[in-house]
C-alpha cells in the first residue's frame, strides 16, 4: 500500500509540473502610442510569445479630455517587406482602429496555430510576424519553437 501511494504521489507531481510548464501566459499589454518608452527607435518592441499566449494591444484613452496631440491610426499585421518600407496595401486588414480618444480600445492576440474563427489569426512556430501603423511603431513577434 505504501509503495503504490508513493508512486501515485510522484506521478501526480510529474503531471502537475508538466501542466505548469505548458501553461499559457498573458503577456504584458502594449499601449500603442508615441509616448510609450518600450518602443525602441528603429526596432520597436520585440516579443517572443509561445503558442497559447495572449497579448493585448491597447490604444489608450486621452486623460483629462485634452484632445491636443490625440493620435488617430490603424494597426496592421504586415509582412517584413512592408514593415521595412512602412507601407500598407489595400489587401491589408486593420487589426485595430485607434479612433476613440475618450476610451481604451483593445485588441487581443491569441497565439494559436489554428483558429476556429473564419477570420481569426493563426501563428506558426519559427515564423516572424510584424505589426505596424503609419508612424512606424512596430512589434516584432518571433514564436519560440
Amino acid at each position: 500500500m505504501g509503495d503504490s501511494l508513493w508512486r501515485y504521489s510522484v506521478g501526480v507531481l510529474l503531471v502537475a509540473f508538466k501542466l505548469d510548464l505548458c501553461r499559457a501566459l498573458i503577456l504584458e499589454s502594449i499601449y500603442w502610442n508615441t509616448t510609450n518608452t518600450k518602443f525602441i527607435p528603429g526596432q520597436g518592441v520585440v516579443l517572443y510569445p509561445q503558442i497559447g499566449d495572449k497579448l493585448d494591444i491597447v490604444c489608450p484613452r486621452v486623460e483629462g479630455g485634452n484632445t491636443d496631440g490625440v493620435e488617430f491610426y490603424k494597426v496592421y499585421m504586415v509582412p517584413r517587406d512592408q514593415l521595412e518600407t512602412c507601407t500598407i496595401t489595400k489587401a491589408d486588414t486593420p487589426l485595430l482602429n485607434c479612433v476613440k480618444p475618450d476610451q481604451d480600445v483593445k485588441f487581443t492576440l491569441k497565439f494559436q496555430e489554428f483558429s476556429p474563427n473564419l477570420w481569426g489569426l493563426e501563428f506558426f512556430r519559427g515564423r516572424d510576424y510584424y505589426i505596424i501603423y503609419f508612424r512606424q511603431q512596430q512589434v516584432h513577434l518571433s514564436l519560440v519553437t
Side-chain angles (χ1 to χ4, degrees):
M1 174 77 176
D3 188 43
S4 63
L5 181 61
W6 181 82
R7 286 183 184 178
Y8 175 77
S9 298
V10 170
V12 169
L13 281 175
L14 288 175
V15 169
F17 285 131
K18 255 189 178 178
L19 289 176
D20 189 46
L21 292 175
C22 297
R23 189 179 338 171
L25 297 175
I26 297 175
L27 303 172
E28 184 178 346
S29 298
I30 295 178
Y31 287 83
W32 202 291
N33 61 7
T34 55
T35 61
N36 187 340
T37 58
K38 291 186 179 191
F39 287 104
I40 300 168
Q43 184 179 355
V45 176
V46 179
L47 302 173
Y48 297 96
Q50 296 190 36
I51 297 299
D53 291 353
K54 290 183 182 180
L55 169 70
D56 290 334
I57 298 175
V58 180
C59 300
R61 83 178 85 203
V62 176
E63 296 299 326
N66 183 2
T67 57
D68 293 340
V70 173
E71 299 176 16
F72 295 98
Y73 47 83
K74 294 180 181 179
V75 178
Y76 297 87
M77 185 171 300
V78 297
R80 185 181 182 109
D81 62 324
Q82 285 180 243
L83 169 80
E84 291 171 349
T85 60
C86 192
T87 57
I88 305 298
T89 67
K90 290 182 180 182
D92 295 324
T93 304
L95 299 176
L96 180 63
N97 289 317
C98 297
V99 295
K100 298 179 182 176
D102 58 329
Q103 58 186 287
D104 285 339
V105 179
K106 176 175 80 169
F107 181 78
T108 301
L109 288 173
K110 181 171 183 188
F111 298 97
Q112 55 191 3
E113 292 181 302
F114 171 78
S115 173
N117 182 340
L118 180 61
W119 294 279
L121 297 173
E122 296 175 345
F123 297 90
F124 301 99
R125 297 176 195 274
R127 291 188 57 192
D128 293 340
Y129 297 88
Y130 304 93
I131 301 172
I132 192 171
Y133 78 103
F134 74 92
R135 292 186 187 192
Q136 204 169 356
Q137 295 290 43
Q138 57 199 14
V139 174
H140 176 180
L141 305 171
S142 290
L143 289 181
V144 178
T145 54

